């Protein structure tokens, strides 16, 4: 456990950046042209500096981003399995269900 704490302490900016990208990809990402995508990732990198400052002040930024990522993963999994279980009812030629 000490290894993980030391790793997070040394590389907290990168951990925050990766978790922010994961949250963005799971919750907000859309198909965009390359330049717009690059701009978004630059803005995420700049925002990660601010989150790193909050983390240095003692706020639980890494824990919050981890919880957000887990919630979005669970939401995506539920939607994936829910869409897979829906079946389209067969209809007869008059438009009614058979």
């Amino acid at each position: 456990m000490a290894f993980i704490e030391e790793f997070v302490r040394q590389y907290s900016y990168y951990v925050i950046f990766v978790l922010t990208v994961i949250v963005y990809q799971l919750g907000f990402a859309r198909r965009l042209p390359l330049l717009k995508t690059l701009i978004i990732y630059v803005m995420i990198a700049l925002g990660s500096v601010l989150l790193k400052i909050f983390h240095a002040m003692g706020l639980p930024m890494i824990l919050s981003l981890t919880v957000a990522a887990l919630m979005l993963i669970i939401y995506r999994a539920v939607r994936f399995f829910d869409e897979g279980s829906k079946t389209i009812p067969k209809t007869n030629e008059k438009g009614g269900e058979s």
Side-chain angles (χ1 to χ4, degrees), residues 26-64:
L26 289 174
F28 307 104
R30 299 283 184 260
R31 197 79 154 135
L32 296 172
L34 182 62
L35 184 61
K36 288 182 181 181
T37 303
L38 181 65
I39 290 171
I40 286 176
Y41 283 110
V42 168
M43 297 307 287
I44 288 174
L46 292 174
S48 295
V49 172
L50 183 62
L51 293 177
K52 166 68 172 134
I53 292 170
F54 290 153
H55 177 72
M57 292 171 52
L59 296 173
M61 299 313 302
I62 293 176
L63 181 61
S64 300

Side-chain angles (χ1 to χ4, degrees), residues 12-25:
S12 60
Y13 173 78
Y14 301 109
V15 173
I16 289 171
F17 178 74
V18 167
L19 286 171
T20 305
V21 167
I22 290 171
V23 168
Y24 168 72
Q25 285 294 323

